[in-house]
Amino acid sequence: MRTPVVIGNWKMQGTLADARALAAGVRDGVRRLKDVHVGLCPPFTALAAVGEIVAGSPVKLGAQNCHWEDAGAHTGEISLPMLADLKCTYVLVGHSERRREMRETDDWINLKVRAALRHHVSPVLCVGETGDERRQGLTFTTVEGQLRSGLAGVPAEEVGRVLLAYEPVWAIGTGVNATPAQAAEVHGYLRGLLSELASKEIASTVPILYGGSVKADNAQALAAESEIDGMLVGGASLQAPGFVSIVKQAAHRVAPARSK
Ligand code: 13P
């Protein structure tokens, strides 16, 4: 079974003092847990401070975005060598908020995925359909397009170093999460595509996280699905006790009893 991964995406929230307190709370709360990977993606201004707080603990650092060039005249951007220098393990790529607000294109997202792999930072490639796309029956078409373009030109053996996050846009920040069955259906579809793009063996190792209104009170049902390998958590990652509870539930995933 794949080790669950739970990543907190703090988005554009909090001061440096807030970030320090939250990181320390998460670090202390998950200290005794085994068989789960935990990541925190603070705003760029807090990356170094959070990195110091979680250093030597099982909690890994992640960034919310990156540029694909190593350096240069790109005002306001942050490069992969900068993130690697801070010992970032993860970088979110193609989050729907960036696709929508910053007009990030599939081509840029692909460049970012490949740059992250070059610098040994694991890209967490985010895909997901809007509410309209789901209503029109375009869920699979949408996520397939995002996955294929995100991984274009990535050699099969490198696909195993990518993480995927299925984040239906209609579930982000709305309080309406995808049901475990809805998420598992899309995750299974994504894993089938990964088998085609790489191999069945490689696809079976790729963590596919669910994101969108994950909370302490729905995490257990989501984590119990064998196709859901963890969560990418927004709002509920901003309070240490709630986030730690989600991590614990992912670590102790229990498969649901299924009627035949
Ligand atoms: P919420 O958990 O606040 O819905 O956000 C999900 C998300 O976008 C994580 O990247």
Side-chain angles (χ1 to χ4, degrees), residues 11 32 47 67 72 88 106 115-116 130 160 165 184 193 212 214 222 242 245:
K11 307 193 180 182
R32 290 177 204 286
L47 266 181
H67 197 275
C88 280
D106 283 329
T130 63
L193 290 171
V214 175
L222 290 161
S245 165

Side-chain angles (χ1 to χ4, degrees), residues 67-85:
H67 197 275
W68 55 88
E69 296 282 352
D70 286 1
H74 301 288
T75 302
E77 293 292 327
I78 304 285
S79 73
L80 263 314
M82 294 169 183
L83 299 181
D85 188 37

Side-chain angles (χ1 to χ4, degrees), residues 12 19 54-55 61 149 155 204 243 250:
M12 193 176 72
V54 301
L61 193 61
S149 54
S204 72
F243 183 67

Side-chain angles (χ1 to χ4, degrees), residues 9 11 95 97 167 171-173 212-214 232-235:
N9 174 11
K11 307 193 180 182
H95 193 283
E97 285 152 14
E167 296 208 307
I172 295 178
S213 296
V214 175
L232 181 53
V233 187

Side-chain angles (χ1 to χ4, degrees), residues 220-234:
Q220 189 175 7
L222 290 161
E225 286 290 342
S226 62
E227 270 303 339
I228 300 179
D229 302 316
M231 294 92 170
L232 181 53
V233 187

Side-chain angles (χ1 to χ4, degrees), residues 35-144:
D35 302 325
V36 61
H37 297 302
V38 183
L40 296 179
C41 299
F44 285 124
T45 48
L47 266 181
V50 170
E52 282 173 20
I53 287 166
V54 301
S57 86
V59 177
K60 303 296 179 208
L61 193 61
Q64 298 176 19
N65 180 36
C66 61
H67 197 275
W68 55 88
E69 296 282 352
D70 286 1
H74 301 288
T75 302
E77 293 292 327
I78 304 285
S79 73
L80 263 314
M82 294 169 183
L83 299 181
D85 188 37
L86 292 181
K87 306 207 167 24
C88 280
T89 299
Y90 305 111
V91 60
L92 307 183
V93 178
H95 193 283
S96 64
E97 285 152 14
R98 296 203 58 84
R99 291 179 191 262
R100 189 181 64 235
E101 293 179 11
M102 309 300 161
R103 308 263 194 277
E104 285 204 5
T105 65
D106 283 329
D107 287 350
W108 292 2
I109 291 163
N110 176 244
L111 288 167
K112 292 178 185 203
V113 166
R114 289 158 59 188
L117 291 169
R118 249 191 343 267
H119 290 281
H120 302 282
V121 177
S122 298
V124 181
L125 173 61
C126 304
V127 301
E129 81 286 1
T130 63
D132 275 349
E133 286 163 341
R134 177 162 280 265
R135 281 185 288 278
Q136 290 167 34
L138 295 173
T139 299
F140 295 124
T141 315
T142 303
V143 297
E144 176 166 355

